[in-house]
Amino acid sequence: MGTEVEVSEPLILPDDKVGVVESDDHDQIPEWKDQITIRGLVVSALMGTLFCIITHKLNLTVGIIPSLNVAAGLLGFFFVKSWTGFLSKLGLSVKPFTRQENTVIQTCVVACYGLAFSGGFGSYLLAMDERTYKLIGPDYPGNRAEDVINPGLWWMMGFLFVVSFLGIFSLVPLRKVMVLDYKLTYPSGTATAMLINSFHTNSGAELAGKQVNCLGKYLSLSLCWSCFKWFFSGIGDSCGFDNFPSLGLTLYKNTFYFDFSPTYVGCGLICPHIVNCSVLLGAIISWGLLWPFVSKHAGDWYPADLGSNDFKGLYGYKVFIAISLILGDGLYNLIKIIAITVKEMCNKTTKNSKLPIVNEVQADPETSKLLVEHKIRDEIFLKDRIPTLFAASGYVGLAAISTAIIPMIFPPLKWYLVLISYVIAPVLAFCNSYGTGLTDWNLASTYGKIGLFIFASLVGTDGGVVAGLAACGVMMSIVSTAADLMQDFKTGYLTLSSAKSMFVSQLIGTAMGCVIAPLTFWLFWTAFDIGSPDGPYKAPYAVIFREMAILGIEGFSELPKHCLAICVGFFVAALVINLLKDVTPNNISQFIPIPMAMAVPFYIGAYFAIDMFVGTVILYVWERINRKSSEDFAGAVASGLICGDGIWTIPSAILSIFKINPPICMYFGPSLSR
């Protein structure tokens, strides 16, 4: 990604592939207000609820969340087409379903479920709760009972409302610069536009219908399987298919087993092969080699009589080594993307002259058609302007409200610290949005972690943990939503959608997310034992984020023996692996693992790595047998598996709330010797 050719070459190519819109479509492009419809908003709310549940489930179990944009596009198309088809059969006249309305739905849904991640329900907000405090230990230096704020539905909604909209206003004046002047690729936004444009052609609509049928079939299978599994899961955390020792009892003790989870198999189908293989490699290194080695030194490196979740023992090694890998990977990519951004901006003039834009001297029909396409896209994109004064006023006004309210929710984060965050946030939002446009890497969580360390150390021992975690949330929200908005502007540009409709739909989706994300989290919080290290919802990043805040205050003095040396080794290894990935040829670098993905199983366990690897093996074989079929339907199969399992979470939570337990406990143990 770091070379000039790799950055610049895709800049215009996606526009050619996005689907040349028929000329008679241009006369039928609806006004921006007509692109936002009641039916579209209803569908967005339903899909936003489902995707928030899926995101929470992944966030609270493994912390890996694949892109659900394909599923959002497909389901949006399916719901509205079904709606219009049903009303047409009743003899009622219906407005045609346009690519612009499809884009608005996509934008709304992504903005809504994005808050389930950036809202910190599995990371910085949950890190403040009493369970995480007790898990680290009341006697652990820097871990104070005063730094506990338990989740509450109303204050979480209020917090999201005061922080989530600023990112949308922060970069609106730069939309022309980012999309038209710099011609940034925004690969995910471009891919989404390709998907939506393909739905609204005759051949594309036929394929979309087949994809929706495929998604529905696997959604039903996944839902039925999840329901079937529930009957055998008993009471406690050791029953059922989720604890099936498929690779034998010895490996099961080291968390190596296939747990029959449709969600993780679906993630394996969506995530690139290298991500899945990296996760498995991380599981083998940690649970296969490192933890058994460290365990042999119990009594020497750490007291042998400690509990399994004591930070002074093996648990401390698990958490801190995972943190070192995450920070090493995040820091390297942050520096790399800032360097690429600076280089691109410094060479902008030279770069523009090298851009593979079609030469206007050429007069062949295809060239003329492309030039007309670009001209029409530019005109539509610039037609409905969002006044700079409005955006600036919105940002300043929201920042003022937020500066007053956030210290009421989190008293250690003083108003002047919040104000400082909002002064520097637009600069960080620009860096992240520009970097995302070039490389498709959204580093919002890395910027959040940097804010966490800085503000925790600034405030110190008296409230530094809460202040750091809250500041992390402020940074993550602004930086993440700003990058999402620019992705949406790129999608809107390529689907001939109004920039104003993109902006408004992002606002509406964010407002939906501020309500739906806390409500769906509250379903989990009420029904399940969130944060239990022995349960299915471990919330791994809650402990990691709280430990990061404590590290920002206390330093490294309380780590177990040799833990710091091992952490430094893995931190350096993360930097070196990333460097090798960038300097080696592509035919070699494609096989080099990703440290961020390797870090996840270090703390959680190897079971989900097995599931994801099964998904990647299925996809690999499918690609070898029929690549075209795999390209067309793998995303639909994966989305169906993930959505079906996600839907079952709702009745499962309701049963749990009403204390209705599964009737059977299927348990496996060693056979008794005669």
Side-chain angles (χ1 to χ4, degrees), residues 282 351 527 565 569 640:
K351 201 81 170 199

Side-chain angles (χ1 to χ4, degrees), residues 34 57 99 156 169 210 219 242 246 259 270 272 310 322 334 407 443 446 453 518 524 550 649:
D34 297 325
K57 180 169 184 178
R99 69 188 73 216
M156 290 191 301
F169 286 90
K210 293 177 181 176
L219 186 150
D242 291 342
S246 44
D259 76 345
I270 288 181
D310 195 311
L334 178 66
L443 295 178
T446 303
F453 278 117
F524 282 87
I550 294 170
T649 303

Side-chain angles (χ1 to χ4, degrees), residues 72-156:
L74 266 176
L75 286 172
F77 178 82
F78 166 70
F79 281 134
V80 179
K81 275 292 186 183
S82 302
W83 188 330
T84 55
F86 176 71
L87 293 179
S88 297
K89 286 178 182 176
L90 294 178
L92 300 172
S93 62
V94 290
K95 286 174 63 177
F97 182 42
T98 63
R99 69 188 73 216
Q100 289 79 21
E101 187 179 356
N102 206 159
T103 306
V104 164
I105 292 171
Q106 171 92 5
T107 300
C108 244
V109 173
V110 172
C112 180
Y113 89 78
L115 287 187
F117 169 70
S118 65
F121 298 101
S123 55
Y124 60 86
L125 285 189
L126 205 56
M128 301 179 192
D129 85 325
E130 191 174 1
R131 160 67 58 82
T132 309
Y133 158 74
K134 287 182 177 176
L135 196 57
I136 292 174
D139 58 341
Y140 192 86
N143 188 38
R144 306 184 318 145
E146 293 85 350
D147 293 325
V148 170
I149 299 177
N150 284 312
L153 187 59
W154 298 112
W155 76 253
M156 290 191 301

Side-chain angles (χ1 to χ4, degrees), residues 72-285:
L74 266 176
L75 286 172
F77 178 82
F78 166 70
F79 281 134
V80 179
K81 275 292 186 183
S82 302
W83 188 330
T84 55
F86 176 71
L87 293 179
S88 297
K89 286 178 182 176
L90 294 178
L92 300 172
S93 62
V94 290
K95 286 174 63 177
F97 182 42
T98 63
R99 69 188 73 216
Q100 289 79 21
E101 187 179 356
N102 206 159
T103 306
V104 164
I105 292 171
Q106 171 92 5
T107 300
C108 244
V109 173
V110 172
C112 180
Y113 89 78
L115 287 187
F117 169 70
S118 65
F121 298 101
S123 55
Y124 60 86
L125 285 189
L126 205 56
M128 301 179 192
D129 85 325
E130 191 174 1
R131 160 67 58 82
T132 309
Y133 158 74
K134 287 182 177 176
L135 196 57
I136 292 174
D139 58 341
Y140 192 86
N143 188 38
R144 306 184 318 145
E146 293 85 350
D147 293 325
V148 170
I149 299 177
N150 284 312
L153 187 59
W154 298 112
W155 76 253
M156 290 191 301
M157 280 187 187
F159 174 70
L160 289 184
F161 269 109
V162 296
V163 301
S164 300
F165 292 93
L166 281 106
I168 302 173
F169 286 90
S170 62
L171 294 186
V172 165
L174 297 178
R175 66 188 178 86
K176 177 180 177 293
V177 173
M178 305 287 252
V179 176
L180 296 185
D181 297 345
Y182 288 163
K183 289 181 166 51
L184 295 175
T185 316
Y186 287 103
S188 292
T190 299
T192 302
M194 291 173 67
L195 182 78
I196 290 172
N197 280 341
S198 72
F199 290 163
H200 296 271
T201 61
N202 291 331
S203 59
E206 185 180 343
L207 175 61
K210 293 177 181 176
Q211 289 172 327
V212 165
N213 288 336
C214 178
L215 188 149
K217 181 169 70 175
Y218 281 92
L219 186 150
S220 302
L221 282 172
S222 176
L223 179 61
C224 292
W225 172 246
S226 298
C227 177
F228 176 76
K229 281 203 310 178
W230 178 83
F231 284 94
F232 297 90
S233 57
I235 302 171
D237 304 315
S238 57
C239 302
F241 287 93
D242 291 342
N243 294 277
F244 194 102
S246 44
L247 302 176
L249 289 170
T250 303
L251 286 175
Y252 173 78
K253 288 177 183 175
N254 283 333
T255 72
F256 284 94
Y257 58 93
F258 178 65
D259 76 345
F260 298 91
S261 167
T263 295
Y264 302 148
V265 174
C267 288
L269 282 166
I270 288 181
C271 292
H273 292 306
I274 189 60
V275 171
N276 299 316
C277 292
S278 299
V279 170
L280 183 63
L281 178 62
I284 292 169
I285 290 172

